[in-house]
Structures are given as structure tokens and as C-alpha cells.
Amino acid sequence: MRRVVALLAAGLVLQMNSSATAESTRDIWLAPLDQDHSNGSIGARDFAALFRLDAPWGDVANRVTVFKLYPFFTARSSDEELTALITDLRRRGIALALEARVLTDEAACKGDGGANTLKLLLRLKRLGADLRYLAMDEPMKHWRFVRSNCQVPLDTIAKNIAANLRGFKAIFPNLEVGDIEPVGEFKEDPNLASDILEFLTACEQAMGRPIAFFHSDVIWHSPWLGLNRRLGKMLRGAGIPFGMIYNGTDRAVSDEQWANEAVSHFVEFEAEGQRPDAAIFQSWTAHPTRVLPENNPVSLTGIALRYLRFHGE
């Protein structure tokens, strides 16, 4: 951590790091939380401004490959708001993703609300969206750690997921499906990395197709660096692209603190030339309160720009 602080103090985060440019991060994802439609009215108050023709995030928009929606905005926005988003992202050539639940109720397992996802997909289809990616919202966590509600074998969970995904793909036949899970040193799961691989393998077998990606929702207050590097290597070896969600902590009290935490996280993970297949800039907390402009170092697009500048892009 002292090395990270030194890098930040020297201003090297905004400069080209020769070792870190040994390979290129394939995908950049952006996933802001919209204040107007979130639970508790937290998140970015200028979310809608992203989708204007003159929105000041040109450099970042040219590099972002995927924009991810939350169920909140997808369900609660007006047709006009959601159509404006769909139209602008198509104009920019940015693929659309949705993060959502996938488990439904069955004997001995109370689902995580996955039945509602079908309604979200139908709405997106009705408004002309081409949904390219579905990011499953922590189904393994629900199965492993909500034991009072879900006590079934892994293959039963995998079949539950696969059956629901077949319904989703009936709406969007080209939909690619990946997973997001919390990753940290949990005493309840000392073999988390291998357990994640086992879970994803079971899902692949039930689905009859590969998992498109795994994105690590890092528990920053736990020892995270070595675990995520091991997990990334393990998943890549199994042919599953590995992504890191770069954000601040839930304990941040200002946009500046949240942004500097997010930057310190990607610096620490990538300073030695180890880059994930995807870098995801995402928030589900009160910070940052702005997504624009990209030249604001504490906006979400500003943090993404700092990442690009760190790698000389």
C-alpha cells in the first residue's frame, strides 16, 4: 500500500506506466448509478446528461465497450429516458448490458428475484434495445451464504439458472451471460477461488455454452490482491475472461475519497503489468455524485479517464 500511495503522490497515475502497458485491457465497462431512479435517491445526479450529443466524455466514450444498466433504471425510467439511452449508446457503438438476478423459487430454495428479470428484458426489447450481455448478480453468493433460504445441491442451482437463461435468450438470442460475485478473504469460504471455478463450470455444463465473463466485486477491506490475481489466473486458464470492478469503498464520505480509493485499487492491481480482461467502473453507493465531465477527476468518467491515462491511452 505504501508503494501505491507513493505512486499517487508522484502523479504517476496520470502518466504512462511502461510495465503496465505490456498488454491491453480488452473491455472497458461503465456502470453508473442513476440518482433519480435508485433506492434511496443515491448516485449520479447527471446520469441523463451522458446521452446528449455534446456530452463531455468523448475520450472515454471512444474507449468504453460496454455500458451496464441496473434493474432500477431499467424498470423505473420513462420510455423516453430509456429510449434516449438506447439510441445514444447505439450511435456511439457501445454495447448494452444489464446486471440482474437469475434465480427463481423452487423446493428448498427461495430464489433471489430472478423472475423479475424477464420483465426487464421484455421492456428493453419493446423499446428497440439490442441487449448484448447479462451480468448475473451474485447467484453463487445467494446459494452458498443464504443457507436458511436455499438448501439444494449445486447442480440444482445450475439447472435453475440455465432454465431461466433459456427464457432470456428467447428474447435476445445473441445474449452473452457472465457472473459477478463478491471476492474477498471469507472465513466461511477459505477455498473461494476454486469454489467460484466449480460454480461457473457447473453453470456452463447446465447451459451447454461457455460463461462469457466473470467480474470480481472486490471486498476491499479484506486481503484482496493475491486472491484476485490467483482467481484471474485460474479463470483465464479455464477459458473464462476475468474482469475487475474498480470502485471506492462503501465507507467513503466524499466523491474525492471514493475516486482516490478507486484509483489506488487499479494502480495496486495493475502496476506490475497484470491487467484484467475487463475494467469495470461502477458504483452502487452515494458516490460519486457525478458522471460528468470526464475532465473532472472525481466523476465516474473522470476516474475511467485516469485509468486510460495511467496506461498511456
Side-chain angles (χ1 to χ4, degrees), residues 13-266:
V13 169
L14 302 181
Q15 299 178 15
M16 180 175 180
N17 182 307
S18 59
S19 64
T21 55
E23 57 177 314
S24 175
T25 302
R26 184 183 66 189
D27 287 326
I28 304 291
W29 290 48
L30 194 70
L33 181 65
D34 171 37
Q35 186 181 91
D36 290 340
H37 302 96
S38 68
N39 287 338
S41 297
I42 60 172
R45 56 181 178 267
D46 58 344
F47 179 89
L50 279 167
F51 313 110
R52 297 173 182 166
L53 287 173
D54 59 349
W57 62 300
D59 288 343
V60 172
N62 286 336
R63 190 62 180 80
V64 167
T65 50
V66 183
F67 189 97
K68 186 171 64 173
L69 294 174
Y70 282 109
F72 312 122
F73 180 84
T74 309
R76 301 171 184 174
S77 59
S78 67
D79 282 1
E80 292 75 16
E81 288 171 321
L82 187 50
T83 299
L85 178 149
I86 292 167
T87 301
D88 189 67
L89 294 178
R90 181 181 293 118
R91 176 181 67 85
R92 296 180 186 274
I94 298 174
L96 186 64
L98 174 67
E99 178 177 320
R101 305 293 179 88
V102 294
L103 291 174
T104 48
D105 293 352
E106 60 176 81
C109 183
K110 180 176 175 57
D112 62 7
N116 293 325
T117 299
L118 187 65
K119 301 173 185 177
L120 302 179
L121 269 62
L122 288 170
R123 184 174 191 226
L124 288 168
K125 185 71 172 181
R126 176 175 64 82
L127 294 178
D130 178 17
L131 188 68
R132 293 284 306 282
Y133 301 100
L134 179 72
M136 299 188 294
D137 185 9
E138 302 182 345
M140 176 180 161
K141 174 188 173 183
H142 182 84
W143 170 62
R144 287 190 68 87
F145 300 129
V146 189
R147 303 307 294 168
S148 60
N149 289 333
C150 191
Q151 300 182 13
V152 296
L154 174 55
D155 64 336
T156 301
I157 284 292
K159 290 175 182 177
N160 182 302
I161 292 171
N164 291 322
L165 293 180
R166 283 192 289 273
F168 300 161
K169 285 181 66 63
I171 302 170
F172 291 103
N174 297 322
L175 188 67
E176 296 187 50
V177 178
D179 188 23
I180 303 169
E181 299 291 345
V183 178
E185 296 283 355
F186 304 135
K187 64 180 181 180
E188 302 92 339
D189 195 348
N191 302 308
L192 182 63
S194 58
D195 288 343
I196 287 174
L197 179 57
E198 180 185 19
F199 178 80
L200 297 178
T201 301
C203 289
E204 288 185 335
Q205 291 173 348
M207 291 163 53
R209 58 184 295 120
I211 288 285
F213 56 83
F214 178 86
H215 291 170
S216 178
D217 172 10
V218 185
I219 307 303
W220 301 114
H221 57 75
S222 76
W224 62 270
L225 182 59
L227 174 59
N228 276 277
R229 286 182 173 170
R230 292 195 304 274
L231 177 60
K233 184 177 181 180
M234 183 182 296
L235 294 183
R236 282 170 158 171
I240 301 172
F242 175 76
M244 288 283 287
I245 297 176
Y246 290 131
N247 51 19
T249 68
D250 296 346
R251 302 168 183 174
V253 297
S254 67
D255 287 358
E256 182 177 16
Q257 181 184 353
W258 195 96
N260 287 337
E261 289 174 348
V263 171
S264 72
H265 293 148
F266 70 65

